[in-house]
Amino acid sequence: MTAVTDQDHTDEMDHADHADDGRDADAKDERPENPPPVEAAQEIGDQEDTDGHARVRADTSGRTESRAAVDPANPTDPEEATGSWDDGLIARRVNETTAAQQAAAVEIRASRGQQTAHPAQVPAPLAYDGPLRSRLDALRELVGLSRTRLDSGTLAEAGRVLDEAAARRRLSGQHTVVAIAGATGSGKSQLFNALAGVAISETGVRRPTTAAPIACSWSDGAATLIDRIGIPGRLRRRPLQSAEMEAQLRGLVLVDLPDHDSAAVAHREQVDRVLALVDAVIWVVDPEKYADAILHERYLRPMAGHAEVMFVVLNQIDRLPGEAADQVLDDLRRLLDEDGIALGEYGEPGATVLSLSALTGDGIPELREVLGQFVADRGAAARRISADVDAAAWRLRPVYATGRRTGLSEEARDEFAARLADSVGATAAGEAAERAWLRNANRACGTPWLRLWRWYNDRREPTTGRLPVRAQEDEEATARQRVEQAVRTVADRASGGLPAPWAQAVREAAVRGAQGLPEALDELAARAGLPVGRPPRPGWWPAAVLAQASMTILQVVGGLWLLGQIIGFMAPNLGVPVLLMVAGIIGGPLVEWSCRMAARGPARRYGFDAERRLREAAAGCGRARVLDPLAAELLRYREVREQYGRVTGAGVGTG
């Protein structure tokens, strides 16, 4: 804290009283009788947009801006009545010149009993470029498509990144919030004070010294950003009023954090919370703890993707003799490279590594220059959000990409349809249809005597000795097992190569589709089986029937002729009747054999048609109940995979 003596405070107020002698009574009433001392003012934070306090700012050129508002809940509060300490204008030089400027800043000119207020300019919100907006939109779409497939814990980090990106976008794009983090005794608070040009953060040998985050803003309009971090007004500061320093670091909001290795759990929790909200981080290490495992394993290594918004500062180099500082700095760079942190060397993007001494001031101008360029670029917030998106995408990679080809091949579909066809006996149905066609052909084209003989043998053949017919229950059980096996096989084929959540969703869809599938197949088999009635006949069948009837007539005529000759009714002449009978006896089987040869092709086609109808019916049922749900799940996965590719900025490459 800036040391301010009672005498300095008395001189300052006397100077202000003399400056008010020529003003009217209304203007005098605007000033409190007992204005707060400078020491109390140092504890007031930047309240310009949150608490409604009055704000008065005096720059080095002597211009005065004032904005007054009285809190109706506490109208008698001296600090709120004067409206002089809202921005926490501390770290003023305690000398004659600064005292006069403070007295002039407290002046509030009144006209007709009212204060003159100058509205503050609202800083422009942050704007993301096209690629980052596209990635955020893709991440939002990805989370929406995945809510029914992934648990909330898996999507929590992505949701947090989206929320923080939206919250940061609504806030100032003209300010950059940079946190100073470090271990106990690393000198981060001392570096914080050195950058501010005045002792703001408490330093000392007691550990831990910094108990709560402290914010210091180099320009107005950062109150909402500091509110987002959760730093109260009493812990908000302003740096030393210097035109050169303000021009160099304009837009910077510097936050001093507690020790990340503090023994107090609350301190470590505050560090983790604030690090997730700031735009950039300055890691302060010392020659003793720069290789600390906690720092590298808990913070630097997980934040390797945030190298472009990261500064690593080796402090206390005044304690190192000779070239030891360069050796320690080189070893620090080696450790950072092992952590996967890209170093911003030779014009390449990456972390900035510097060495300095906050105690002696060695290296502070270089850090201030680099930090000023970093803040003036106005791109830290967008780069931080982009790095957060990269980190969230990397954590989600196991549930979206496996590097293997995914999908259901045509071969797997055909195999599934074939298994279903076998379960309903499509092949057997086709063979039965072919046999039925041939039997019908035999009935039409076979000799009457042969058909009579076959009928007689069928009637005389005993039932003993035949194989027992399989029970219907056994056939249904076997068919159900075949269907279940077919569903499991196609589900395994479809889920192969998918990440675990999506593979599980595919298998669940297959199980749901398999419910009632055997019954549906049986019903389809009954409808798509053999048609009612006899099989159709080709056009040549009437001629074959006529030829067979002619052969039978020849046999009958020849037989009757011979019988007439035997009984003496007709004159003996064996040649003609015998020739007629032989022609009928040989011609009948010959016609039957010819018809059977001619009937093989149509019978086979008829059987194939019956088998095809049954296979198509089974395949259609399986497609509607199993394959279509599987395809829907695979399509959903393809959509989320494409969105994931947009999030990462490249294709996933999983085929």
Side-chain angles (χ1 to χ4, degrees):
M1 304 296 292
T2 306
V4 181
T5 62
D6 294 337
Q7 182 63 38
D8 293 333
H9 174 64
T10 304
D11 294 341
E12 177 186 355
M13 298 311 301
D14 289 341
H15 186 86
D17 291 337
H18 287 296
D20 285 341
D21 290 339
R23 294 188 178 90
D24 58 339
D26 292 338
K28 289 180 180 179
D29 291 340
E30 293 292 336
R31 299 177 54 208
E33 296 179 0
N34 297 316
V38 176
E39 194 67 24
Q42 295 173 355
E43 300 298 330
I44 304 300
D46 188 353
Q47 307 282 341
E48 60 186 19
D49 293 327
T50 58
D51 296 339
H53 288 181
R55 179 174 63 86
V56 178
R57 179 176 181 272
D59 57 16
T60 54
S61 62
R63 291 174 297 181
T64 302
E65 296 179 1
S66 65
R67 184 179 63 184
V70 179
D71 187 355
N74 188 14
T76 59
D77 190 346
E79 294 179 2
E80 294 177 357
T82 57
S84 303
W85 305 104
D86 181 66
D87 266 347
L89 301 178
I90 71 160
R92 304 179 185 276
R93 297 181 183 275
V94 186
N95 52 35
E96 294 294 335
T97 304
T98 308
Q101 290 180 354
Q102 284 183 331
V106 176
E107 285 188 8
I108 302 178
R109 300 185 179 277
S111 176
R112 297 181 181 179
Q114 297 181 352
Q115 294 178 335
T116 302
H118 298 276
Q121 294 182 354
V122 178
L126 180 64
Y128 297 147
D129 58 8
L132 181 55
R133 288 199 305 271
S134 177
R135 296 181 64 196
L136 290 172
D137 293 340
L139 182 59
R140 188 176 298 103
E141 184 71 17
L142 181 67
V143 172
L145 290 173
S146 306
R147 290 192 184 278
T148 58
R149 298 295 178 266
L150 304 179
D151 58 276
S152 57
T154 304
L155 299 173
E157 179 63 18
R160 186 196 67 80
V161 171
L162 290 173
D163 293 341
E164 296 300 335
R168 183 63 182 90
R169 186 177 184 178
R170 291 191 295 266
L171 302 180
S172 172
Q174 307 300 318
H175 294 80
T176 302
V177 183
V178 181
I180 297 183
T184 302
S186 61
K188 55 183 179 54
S189 296
Q190 198 171 34
L191 177 60
F192 181 86
N193 294 337
L195 291 174
V198 67
I200 294 178
S201 185
E202 182 182 358
T203 61
V205 296
R206 179 178 59 85
R207 296 290 180 265
T209 304
T210 304
I214 300 176
C216 181
S217 176
W218 267 257
S219 59
D220 298 334
T224 54
L225 281 172
I226 304 176
D227 290 340
R228 177 170 174 258
I229 300 175
I231 299 179
R234 59 185 178 82
L235 297 178
R236 304 183 188 186
R237 303 290 186 264
R238 289 296 296 270
L240 179 67
Q241 299 300 303
S242 169
E244 180 181 358
M245 186 181 299
E246 283 192 0
Q248 188 178 30
L249 299 180
R250 179 173 299 276
L252 173 64
V253 178
L254 200 61
V255 180
D256 185 20
L257 297 179
D259 303 330
H260 68 75
D261 60 348
S262 173
V265 178
H267 293 183
R268 299 197 301 269
E269 292 177 350
Q270 289 190 65
V271 171
D272 296 340
R273 179 184 62 81
V274 176
L275 285 179
L277 300 176
V278 297
D279 301 328
V281 185
I282 299 177
W283 292 102
V284 182
V285 298
D286 60 77
E288 295 180 356
K289 294 184 178 181
Y290 73 92
D292 185 30
I294 296 179
L295 172 64
H296 288 269
E297 295 178 3
R298 185 176 179 183
Y299 293 102
L300 295 181
R301 196 167 300 164
M303 296 183 65
H306 296 71
E308 294 187 41
V309 291
M310 187 183 301
F311 296 80
V312 182
V313 175
L314 176 63
N315 192 17
Q316 303 176 7
I317 60 173
D318 57 292
R319 298 168 51 190
L320 299 175
E323 298 179 354
D326 294 335
Q327 296 176 359
V328 173
L329 192 63
D330 292 340
D331 193 47
L332 175 60
R333 288 193 176 96
R334 179 186 62 81
L335 293 175
L336 294 176
D337 183 68
E338 292 178 356
D339 292 334
I341 298 177
L343 302 181
E345 299 176 342
Y346 310 108
E348 298 179 356
T352 302
V353 183
L354 298 172
S355 61
L356 52 82
S357 174
L359 180 62
T360 63
D362 186 17
I364 295 296
E366 288 80 2
L367 175 60
R368 186 178 287 113
E369 180 180 358
V370 173
L371 194 58
Q373 295 175 356
F374 181 79
V375 173
D377 185 51
R378 305 285 191 252
R383 289 197 295 270
R384 169 61 194 264
I385 295 299
S386 180
D388 288 344
V389 172
D390 290 337
W394 180 255
R395 293 188 183 96
L396 291 175
R397 183 175 180 81
V399 298
Y400 291 116
T402 59
R404 298 169 57 188
R405 187 177 183 85
T406 60
L408 192 59
S409 64
E410 195 66 28
E411 180 183 358
R413 294 173 179 270
D414 294 341
E415 182 181 351
F416 176 68
R419 287 175 178 269
L420 293 185
D422 292 340
S423 68
V424 297
T427 303
E431 294 175 354
E434 182 179 356
R435 289 193 299 268
W437 207 96
L438 290 174
R439 283 196 303 269
N440 191 31
N442 290 335
R443 292 191 187 99
C445 303
T447 61
W449 323 117
L450 184 59
R451 283 187 290 169
L452 183 61
W453 175 255
R454 288 173 180 172
W455 173 82
Y456 178 74
N457 286 336
D458 291 341
R459 294 292 301 271
R460 290 185 58 189
E461 184 177 0
T463 57
T464 58
R466 295 181 179 179
L467 294 175
V469 180
R470 200 170 194 183
Q472 184 177 1
E473 292 78 5
D474 295 339
E475 293 182 356
E476 291 179 355
T478 303
R480 182 178 294 274
Q481 292 174 359
R482 290 178 179 176
V483 172
E484 293 175 353
Q485 179 64 28
V487 172
R488 284 195 298 269
T489 301
V490 74
D492 292 340
R493 294 283 186 87
S495 60
L498 292 177
W502 303 99
Q504 181 65 24
V506 167
R507 286 191 289 268
E508 290 176 355
V511 170
R512 289 192 301 268
Q515 296 176 357
L517 181 59
E519 292 77 7
L521 290 174
D522 292 340
E523 183 179 354
L524 284 175
R527 292 202 306 265
L530 294 178
V532 180
R534 293 181 179 182
R537 296 177 178 180
W540 51 264
W541 276 30
V545 172
L546 180 61
Q548 194 65 261
S550 301
M551 295 301 103
T552 304
I553 292 173
L554 289 177
Q555 295 179 40
V556 172
V557 170
L560 293 176
W561 196 337
L562 287 176
L563 181 61
Q565 292 180 3
I566 292 173
I567 63 176
F569 181 76
M570 297 181 67
N573 186 4
L574 296 178
V576 176
V578 171
L579 182 61
L580 291 176
M581 289 186 63
V582 171
I585 293 173
I586 296 176
L590 184 61
V591 171
E592 182 180 0
W593 179 82
S594 300
C595 291
R596 183 175 296 179
M597 291 298 102
R600 283 186 176 182
R604 188 177 296 110
R605 288 192 296 271
Y606 182 73
F608 285 160
D609 289 341
E611 181 180 355
R612 177 183 54 79
R613 288 194 302 270
L614 195 53
R615 286 183 178 275
E616 289 178 353
C621 183
R623 181 172 57 252
R625 288 178 172 267
V626 178
L627 293 183
D628 287 349
L630 292 184
E633 290 296 333
L634 292 174
L635 180 60
R636 180 185 291 270
Y637 171 70
R638 184 182 298 274
E639 291 176 357
V640 299
R641 190 182 62 184
E642 292 175 355
Q643 293 298 331
Y644 181 77
R646 290 179 56 197
V647 172
T648 58
V652 181
T654 55

